[in-house]
Amino acid sequence: MITKSNLYRKEKVYGYLFILPPILGLLIFTLFPFVYSLYGSFTDWDGLGQMNFIGLDNFKDLFSDELFYKSMYNTLFLMLGIPIGLVLALLLALGLNRKIPGTTTFRVIYYIPVISSLAAVSIMWNWAYNGDYGLVNQFLEIFGIKGPNWLMDKDTVKPALILMTVWKGLGYTMLLYLAALQSVSRSYYEAAELDGASGFQMFRNITWPMVKPVTFFLVVTNIIGGSQIFTEMNIMTPTGGPEYSSASIVFYIWDKAFKNLQMGYASAMAMILGIFIFIVTLIQFKMNEKSSFDGD
Amino acid sequence: MIKKKGFAITMVVLLLMVAALAGCSGGSSSSDGSKELTFMFRGGTDEQKAYKEVIKKFEEEHPGVKVKMVVTAADQYATKLRAAITGNNLPDIFYFAPGDVKAYVNSGVLKNLTPYIEKNKDIKLDNIWKYGIDLYRYDGKMAGQGDIYGMPKDLGPFALGYNKTMFEKAGVPLPDKDKPYTWDEFIKVSQELTKDTNGDGKPDQYGTGFNVQWALQAFVWSNGADWLDESKTKVTIDDPKFAEALQYFADMQNKYKITPGIEQSQTLDTYQRWMKGEMAFFPVGPWDMSTFEKLPFEYDLLPFPAGSTGKSATWIGSLGIGVSSKTKYPDEAVELVNYLTTSKEGMKQLVDAKVQIPNLLDMADEWSKDTKTKPNNKQEFIDIVNDYGRSLPGNYTYNAEWYDIFFTDIQPVLDGKITAADYVKQEQPKMQKLLDKAVEQEKKSQK
């Protein structure tokens, strides 16, 4: 009996040791900053000196802060790229799932933006969008269209950013869809074919439900990622764009915290953003539960 | 029992790690026992190279001291520094903006350099630009007086340059370096030099192309207006003189067409156009001298065109070099700051690298008289520092949010969609509100 308990004890210690690093990481790099920031959101901390507790003042100020609403709206607007990206990627994946020559090359081409550095990609698109010599406008000129100065105009800066983020994320989304498509058993399609189902019917009743878990995963991660979009605008429109029209919420948080000595206020915004992401994700999980595919 | 013990171990490890993280700040001894200082700075490639050389020399002259350099991209510098302060992980020596002196002193980030400077007989404060040193003085209430919390890395007088070759080719008389153009004259000359040289119907040589954020000041100030009043607590952009200057600035593009149009107005463009020799006038900072050395044309400096005051105006930038209040080796750290800012040897190397004007008055005098190197009229840089250069408005306040928003919202004015008069009226209350907040924050930080 004694040996057994010793063994058990030893194993238990090793077990804890093995899970210690990630738990420590979580505590130090996630939980601690989170609690710190939560406390900070109730103070007037400037990021340098002492913190004075001011209760809910930061949150009260937020509700009358025009730029907070603006950057929140911008962030949501930029998320229009998510459905566009999903549809495009699924179509691409369907195309590349066929047994035709050259698909590997195309897969690589679509995946290159994913592995490229976001900063480098942003600088490249910055040139492409230049109103004067940019690639985009030169292309439009072929059709006799005079393109705008994309990043300097408050009406075009957001669509321009959406186009870029869709392009950047396409390869990743496509790859996941491709994997999902390839895991769908051929026998479903064969059975449907025997029943005389059309291509569209097969897509609607077999493909779409079968890739649903992937769609769900992508929607959730894209919305979380989309809420935190920052690098693109920081490089392409370093002042937040004309009239702050391309500033995302994280950009505004960064602006307040690191440029304007209002760490407490920025923390309050970060809390609101966190709550927002939490609620949206919760809703998605609930919706997914309701309509989940039972054939799985 | 086991459970409790495990928990205790976890807590101890955690505490150790936190302690280790907190202990990262400041200087440390390197493995061979010498004193190691970290120096965080930023700058263009030529500037970085120059600083590396100077620091190598410093290490040679100060055995036992090692300097670890941390270089960041210019636009990330402020963020990195703030993050280092917040994380209690500050380098021993670092650049900081003069506008941050108050905040950093009030929160105990910067070391007071005065006692060290007084102790050091090699430093002659009266041989350094007074303007430059005053930028880093603060007595706890007013900036510009009291103890010294940093030394100016340099002063960056923002002068106006012109393409001499272009003037000569077009047969336009060269500008007088002592008498600034009036606004009307400036437009006239610029229009003469705005040309379609390849006959495609679009001009490809322009009078100028200013970036509003860095060039509007020259026009506003020379017209007798400003962003702030004397007390630095009131936003004064609703002054008609201000609107007049802003309108003039916007008209350069929309009415007089002497600058690239809306589509071409991105900053990158105008800088590159100037470098390619397609622009008659363009602002030149001392940090550009090494780059402009290789320009395919001759250039020189002249004063900015003068508005209704009849006097030219422009700003002087500066970065301070400060020492962390938590450094382990204050003597060595201050020594390095002095080497970089006030020593003859250090200064000579930096000036020779053409990345800045001299900090030392006697050296500056000699330097400006040397007409063999470009630009010929270096005296203009010195005049700006001595006579008429000013600090950027955002430097006077606890944060520059109120000032930044002015430029964030300005695009419609530049595009000619709204008038300057309407803009200043609509923008003043917005800016005032943010300024009030900054003033309030400053008061809080003082106690």
Side-chain angles (χ1 to χ4, degrees):
Chain A
M1 282 313 273
I2 291 162
T3 44
K4 191 185 170 193
S5 121
N6 262 346
L7 197 67
Y8 174 71
R9 215 162 109 183
K10 227 175 177 178
E11 225 173 52
K12 202 168 162 187
V13 171
Y14 283 134
Y16 278 123
L17 274 178
F18 275 116
I19 58 168
L20 190 63
I23 287 182
L24 273 181
L26 184 78
L27 284 173
I28 294 173
F29 298 111
T30 309
L31 198 67
F32 175 69
F34 174 77
V35 174
Y36 203 61
S37 163
L38 178 67
Y39 176 71
S41 67
F42 298 112
T43 68
D44 64 356
W45 194 32
D46 57 8
L48 306 168
Q50 48 179 312
M51 302 163 113
N52 302 312
F53 191 79
I54 54 166
L56 290 170
D57 281 6
N58 283 332
F59 293 92
K60 268 184 232 152
D61 287 351
L62 262 182
F63 286 108
S64 55
D65 184 348
E66 198 189 316
L67 288 184
F68 171 70
Y69 289 113
K70 202 166 195 172
S71 48
M72 205 67 182
Y73 167 77
N74 291 341
T75 311
L76 292 174
F77 192 98
L78 291 175
M79 283 193 205
L80 283 179
I82 297 172
I84 300 172
L86 287 182
V87 171
L88 280 178
L90 182 56
L91 288 176
L92 271 178
L94 285 170
L96 293 177
N97 196 26
R98 281 155 202 264
K99 283 195 178 61
I100 44 172
T103 47
T104 329
T105 319
F106 277 103
R107 281 180 206 173
V108 172
I109 290 175
Y110 287 118
Y111 205 69
I112 285 175
V114 181
I115 51 166
S116 312
S117 132
L118 189 51
V121 160
S122 303
I123 291 171
M124 191 194 82
W125 278 88
N126 215 354
W127 291 334
Y129 280 137
N130 187 294
D132 188 14
Y133 57 75
L135 198 66
V136 176
N137 281 1
Q138 282 188 11
F139 175 74
L140 289 176
E141 219 160 89
I142 300 173
F143 306 100
I145 302 168
K146 185 152 173 22
N149 195 351
W150 296 91
L151 299 174
M152 303 286 276
D153 188 322
K154 66 174 183 203
D155 297 324
T156 53
V157 63
K158 279 193 284 270
L161 283 170
I162 289 176
L163 181 64
M164 178 198 144
T165 47
V166 166
W167 171 86
K168 166 92 178 137
L170 207 55
Y172 172 74
T173 314
M174 179 205 73
L175 200 74
L176 286 184
Y177 269 134
L178 206 54
L181 288 176
Q182 284 174 349
S183 68
V184 180
S185 165
R186 294 279 338 143
S187 58
Y188 292 135
Y189 293 106
E190 280 157 15
E193 220 160 36
L194 283 179
D195 290 339
S198 69
F200 178 72
Q201 279 172 326
M202 277 195 260
F203 173 78
R204 223 193 78 149
N205 297 310
I206 302 170
T207 315
W208 182 240
M210 291 302 278
V211 299
K212 209 173 155 223
V214 171
T215 310
F216 172 67
F217 169 77
L218 284 168
V219 168
V220 172
T221 50
N222 276 346
I223 287 185
I224 293 174
S227 315
Q228 299 169 347
I229 186 168
F230 172 72
T231 312
E232 293 90 330
M233 55 264 313
N234 189 28
I235 293 172
M236 296 170 77
T237 55
T239 55
E243 297 167 72
Y244 229 59
S245 54
S246 66
S248 70
I249 183 73
V250 175
F251 185 91
Y252 190 42
I253 291 174
W254 167 79
D255 212 38
K256 282 280 185 191
F258 291 110
K259 267 172 78 187
N260 296 313
L261 300 164
Q262 294 164 41
M263 193 65 90
Y265 191 72
S267 297
M269 277 195 278
M271 285 301 132
I272 299 279
L273 176 65
I275 292 167
F276 168 79
I277 293 176
F278 180 75
I279 292 175
V280 171
T281 311
L282 204 68
I283 293 171
Q284 286 168 327
F285 269 95
K286 283 270 178 260
M287 273 166 59
N288 189 54
E289 232 166 57
K290 233 186 253 165
S291 61
S292 99
F293 179 61
D294 350 284
D296 217 14
Chain B
M1 257 325 265
I2 295 164
K3 232 182 181 171
K4 260 192 186 159
K5 206 169 158 194
F7 182 71
I9 291 170
T10 316
M11 283 321 286
V12 168
V13 173
L14 241 177
L15 277 173
L16 282 175
M17 289 192 73
V18 171
L21 278 176
C24 288
S25 67
S28 55
S29 301
S30 66
S31 47
D32 59 356
S34 60
K35 296 167 176 173
E36 192 179 85
L37 299 168
T38 33
F39 171 40
M40 186 158 110
F41 70 110
R42 65 174 174 85
T45 31
D46 289 346
E47 227 171 324
Q48 287 179 24
K49 229 168 64 198
Y51 270 80
K52 269 176 198 154
E53 288 296 315
V54 176
I55 286 189
K56 222 171 89 193
K57 193 94 184 288
F58 174 83
E59 286 178 329
E60 278 166 22
E61 289 176 23
H62 297 79
V65 182
K66 275 230 167 85
V67 183
K68 200 178 121 201
M69 282 180 277
V70 184
V71 196
T72 76
D75 54 344
Q76 284 163 23
Y77 184 82
T79 312
K80 286 226 166 114
L81 182 63
R82 291 274 160 84
I85 293 171
T86 315
N88 205 5
N89 194 12
L90 207 61
D92 300 279
I93 301 134
F94 54 90
Y95 283 4
F96 65 97
D100 288 334
V101 174
K102 294 185 201 172
Y104 289 176
V105 171
N106 287 347
S107 54
V109 170
L110 285 170
K111 190 162 203 75
N112 184 352
L113 303 184
T114 323
Y116 297 90
I117 291 171
E118 280 168 359
K119 222 167 48 190
N120 191 332
K121 287 187 186 62
D122 294 337
I123 303 170
K124 296 191 176 59
L125 282 187
D126 52 4
N127 192 25
I128 307 169
W129 305 110
K130 182 178 175 328
Y131 175 92
I133 297 198
D134 285 352
L135 281 175
Y136 304 100
R137 286 184 190 273
Y138 182 52
D139 64 1
K141 283 253 172 307
M142 280 286 279
Q145 53 196 55
D147 285 340
I148 302 172
Y149 287 91
M151 291 295 276
K153 162 185 121 56
D154 67 346
L155 290 176
F158 204 56
L160 184 63
Y162 67 98
N163 183 332
K164 213 166 162 181
T165 314
M166 190 191 280
F167 272 73
E168 281 160 357
K169 232 192 216 160
V172 177
L174 293 180
D176 187 336
K177 66 181 170 60
D178 298 317
K179 196 174 152 285
Y181 284 123
T182 64
W183 282 4
D184 290 339
E185 283 166 357
F186 183 69
I187 297 288
K188 222 182 108 246
V189 173
S190 295
Q191 277 174 333
E192 276 176 60
L193 291 165
T194 301
K195 279 182 181 161
D196 173 14
T197 51
N198 60 5
D200 65 351
K202 288 192 289 195
D204 28 40
Q205 174 181 307
Y206 288 96
T208 187
F210 291 123
N211 177 323
V212 65
Q213 196 167 355
W214 305 112
L216 180 62
Q217 298 86 357
F219 295 92
V220 168
W221 290 338
S222 82
N223 206 33
D226 204 344
W227 274 258
L228 285 177
D229 72 344
E230 278 290 305
S231 71
K232 314 297 177 205
T233 56
K234 195 174 174 307
V235 177
T236 54
I237 62 161
D238 46 356
D239 174 356
K241 286 271 168 210
F242 190 106
E244 191 186 19
L246 177 57
Q247 195 60 56
Y248 175 83
F249 191 93
D251 285 348
M252 283 196 251
Q253 174 183 300
N254 301 314
K255 200 164 145 196
Y256 305 115
K257 315 228 180 279
I258 58 168
T259 78
I262 302 167
E263 307 86 42
Q264 301 103 327
S265 63
Q266 276 163 331
T267 343
L268 190 70
D269 272 21
T270 54
Y271 189 75
Q272 278 174 356
R273 278 172 198 272
W274 159 257
M275 303 257 282
K276 274 170 39 194
E278 295 172 1
M279 211 155 253
F281 300 100
F282 199 73
V284 178
W287 53 86
D288 277 326
M289 284 187 296
S290 64
T291 311
F292 289 178
E293 187 90 329
K294 300 146 214 151
L295 288 180
F297 54 86
E298 289 293 316
Y299 83 99
D300 209 350
L301 305 180
L302 79 161
F304 270 95
S308 62
T309 62
K311 284 203 184 103
S312 198
T314 186
W315 52 269
I316 309 175
S318 178
L319 269 175
I321 311 188
V323 173
S324 159
S325 59
K326 296 200 179 88
T327 179
K328 272 193 201 153
Y329 309 115
D331 288 307
E332 286 77 8
V334 178
E335 187 62 30
L336 175 59
V337 173
N338 290 332
Y339 193 82
L340 291 171
T341 58
T342 64
S343 80
K344 243 189 171 123
E345 310 83 49
M347 197 39 65
K348 181 136 181 25
Q349 286 185 67
L350 293 171
V351 172
D352 286 349
K354 291 180 176 288
V355 292
Q356 63 177 67
I357 68 165
N359 261 349
L360 305 169
L361 297 183
D362 49 1
M363 199 183 278
D365 193 44
E366 203 181 305
W367 174 80
S368 65
K369 284 188 185 122
D370 173 15
T371 47
K372 282 195 285 295
T373 53
K374 284 192 207 175
N376 201 296
N377 182 23
K378 285 189 278 293
Q379 183 61 37
E380 191 61 41
F381 281 138
I382 307 293
D383 288 349
I384 292 173
V385 178
N386 273 333
D387 304 341
Y388 66 92
R390 309 184 192 188
S391 211
L392 286 170
N395 283 344
Y396 293 109
T397 50
Y398 195 71
N399 67 47
E401 207 177 6
W402 65 274
Y403 179 68
D404 290 341
I405 201 166
F406 177 85
F407 294 102
T408 302
D409 291 346
I410 209 163
Q411 198 62 35
V413 185
L414 303 182
D415 294 347
K417 286 178 186 152
I418 61 171
T419 64
D422 284 345
Y423 181 70
V424 294
K425 222 182 286 156
Q426 145 211 321
E427 209 62 11
Q428 196 277 342
K430 245 164 111 178
M431 290 165 71
Q432 187 64 50
K433 216 171 113 191
L434 291 171
L435 179 62
D436 290 345
K437 233 165 116 185
V439 170
E440 194 188 314
Q441 252 190 306
E442 181 178 346
K443 275 195 195 124
K444 264 190 187 170
S445 80
Q446 278 169 348
K447 42 168 200 214

